[in-house]
Amino acid sequence: MSRFFSDKYKDLVPYVPGEQPRGQKYIKLNTNENPYPPPPEVTEAVRKESEKLCLYSDTECTELRKALAGRLNVSEDELLMTNGSDEILNFAFMAFCDKHTPAYFADVTYGFYPVFADINQVPYEEIPLKDDLTIDITDYFQKAGTIFIANPNAPTAIALRRNEIEEILKQNLYNVVVVDEAYVDFGAESCVPLIREYDNLLVTQTFSKSRSMAGARLGMGIGNPELIRDLNTIKFSLNPYNVNSMTAAAGTATLKHDEYNMKNCELIMETRSWSERALRELGFEMTTSQTNFLFARHPAISGLDLYLELKRKGFLIRHFNRERIRDYNRITIGTPEQMEKLVAATKQILADRKA
């Protein structure tokens, strides 16, 4: 840290993303990327848009919001497009939290939440998950601040039902409740249908997971038009051109072929079921996943050792060195072939330990 770095950030601990190797070839199952490419029409849309790079992008993302509104059955003024869902989450910390309005989120959840709180100098409370790593919804009743719930949760992979989220909303009518649905298309219930019943609900989603566009960086917020106007005040005060023109074109194109994306989600869920069965046969324990990853542990090997052994064999999975979850690893669901290779390598690692 240089002597010029502001004192207000001296204790800031940045978010640590999963490894993105640029050299050695790995079977990469550590950052919950979709193993399938987007529809071919997306590539063509990006190519055509690249011919207009001399022009600024549309600050309103007009065509993209129109396409997305039709897909989600909402109105265009209930949508805000952002540079990945991380940006809309940060906007929510900026818009709906301050020193008098703290943030509340789980102690084991998306690691960016405490970073967003710290960088915006927002006080926060981490609410412990239950011993089985599930959320007790009553812990979120009558909170005097803004609530952030990843649903399904990451890294635990567990989802609350829509009616459970609704109970939290009913108990916090004067607080904003942010529901982060990055993984919702892999078997969970979306809360988007609730936005017209609860003007304090903001739902965030991303094109990174279910729509194979992690590298494009495209996310969105869905909520009451007044909430969206608040968030637009933040956006236009920071970067009106936050979504570049090629990303917007890619998003519009993929929505026109969203059946392709949803079919890929079904393939991933089928592979998830196979992978879960195969790993349980090897003695693994895991949470019930409604995401594109598994959260698993084995009694015969530590989470760190399994991560290191698999890395040596050419596989990347995600290990978190936190007290409550250090025995677990998060394993992204890849193609059937990738998962078969992972299971075979894991079986060999466990066999070598017994030898």
Side-chain angles (χ1 to χ4, degrees):
M1 187 180 298
S2 80
R3 61 190 175 91
F4 305 105
F5 196 60
S6 172
D7 282 348
K8 67 182 177 181
Y9 296 132
K10 62 182 174 56
D11 296 321
L12 185 64
V13 179
Y15 175 73
V16 179
E19 297 166 83
Q20 296 286 353
R22 292 292 182 260
Q24 182 180 345
K25 289 279 287 182
Y26 289 98
I27 291 180
K28 192 170 177 297
L29 305 172
N30 67 325
T31 51
N32 300 340
E33 294 148 321
N34 195 310
Y36 303 108
E41 291 82 1
V42 170
T43 304
E44 177 59 18
V46 170
R47 186 198 65 76
K48 288 179 66 175
E49 195 63 33
S50 70
E51 298 172 0
K52 299 182 283 185
L53 282 180
C54 56
L55 304 176
Y56 283 109
S57 58
D58 174 12
T59 60
E60 304 288 345
C61 295
T62 306
E63 291 301 314
L64 175 56
R65 282 194 303 127
K66 181 178 179 180
L68 186 58
R71 184 73 179 88
L72 296 179
N73 194 28
V74 299
S75 63
E76 293 171 45
D77 63 354
E78 293 170 324
L79 290 171
L80 172 64
M81 310 309 302
T82 55
N83 190 315
S85 60
D86 290 336
E87 186 174 57
I88 189 71
L89 290 166
N90 189 36
F91 286 176
F93 274 88
M94 297 176 72
F96 308 125
C97 302
D98 55 37
K99 63 182 180 181
H100 304 296
T101 310
Y104 297 90
F105 44 82
D107 65 331
V108 179
T109 190
Y110 186 29
F112 233 137
Y113 296 163
V115 179
F116 288 143
D118 285 340
I119 200 166
N120 291 299
Q121 300 184 335
V122 169
Y124 64 90
E125 179 184 332
E126 293 181 303
I127 301 173
L129 297 178
K130 295 192 288 186
D131 290 343
D132 63 358
L133 300 181
T134 60
I135 285 175
D136 183 341
I137 63 170
T138 64
D139 289 340
Y140 293 82
F141 289 0
Q142 301 294 320
K143 289 299 181 185
T146 302
I147 295 169
F148 293 82
I149 296 177
N151 194 55
N153 194 21
T156 67
I158 302 169
L160 292 171
R161 297 185 302 276
R162 184 189 296 151
N163 67 315
E164 293 177 295
I165 297 285
E166 187 168 12
E167 286 302 312
I168 294 172
L169 286 162
K170 288 177 180 177
Q171 294 290 329
N172 292 278
L173 294 175
Y174 300 101
N175 307 323
V176 173
V177 177
V178 180
V179 181
D180 177 357
E181 293 187 346
Y183 301 97
V184 74
D185 291 322
F186 299 101
E189 289 182 285
S190 176
C191 289
V192 169
L194 299 178
I195 64 167
R196 299 207 175 133
E197 296 178 56
Y198 299 93
D199 63 2
N200 60 325
L201 170 63
L202 175 69
V203 179
T204 68
Q205 293 186 5
T206 179
F207 281 62
S208 295
K209 316 299 182 184
S210 58
R211 295 186 174 94
S212 305
M213 284 177 49
R217 310 309 303 132
L218 183 61
M220 65 278 215
I222 311 120
N224 178 279
E226 289 189 11
L227 286 186
I228 298 301
R229 281 195 290 272
D230 292 340
L231 294 162
N232 265 310
T233 296
I234 301 296
K235 168 192 159 177
F236 280 89
S237 300
L238 289 171
N239 181 11
Y241 305 102
N242 62 330
V243 177
N244 74 71
S245 54
M246 289 188 293
T247 290
T252 304
T254 204
L255 289 170
K256 292 177 180 177
H257 303 275
D258 218 23
E259 308 81 18
Y260 169 96
N261 296 315
M262 295 305 109
K263 189 169 183 178
N264 284 343
C265 290
E266 291 174 9
L267 289 173
I268 289 168
M269 288 188 279
E270 290 171 8
T271 307
R272 181 184 71 200
S273 296
W274 179 88
S275 303
E276 180 180 352
R277 289 194 300 272
L279 290 172
R280 286 192 187 279
E281 287 174 6
L282 296 180
F284 278 86
E285 305 164 358
M286 63 196 75
T287 59
T288 299
S289 175
Q290 290 182 279
T291 63
N292 67 337
F293 60 87
L294 297 173
F295 199 52
R297 65 180 178 183
H298 196 285
I301 186 170
S302 73
L304 179 60
D305 285 348
L306 179 61
Y307 157 75
L308 292 172
E309 289 288 339
L310 282 170
K311 188 173 183 180
R312 279 191 278 270
K313 289 180 177 290
F315 298 84
L316 284 181
I317 59 175
R318 188 77 190 267
H319 180 69
F320 298 91
N321 192 30
R322 292 190 57 184
E323 181 66 32
R324 294 193 68 187
I325 57 172
R326 63 175 48 154
D327 290 337
Y328 287 86
N329 283 298
R330 193 190 70 191
I331 304 167
T332 303
I333 302 300
T335 63
E337 296 75 18
Q338 289 174 327
M339 300 312 291
E340 287 168 9
K341 290 177 181 178
L342 174 86
V343 169
T346 303
K347 185 175 183 180
Q348 186 60 57
I349 291 168
L350 294 173
D352 290 345
R353 292 209 149 219
K354 287 183 180 178

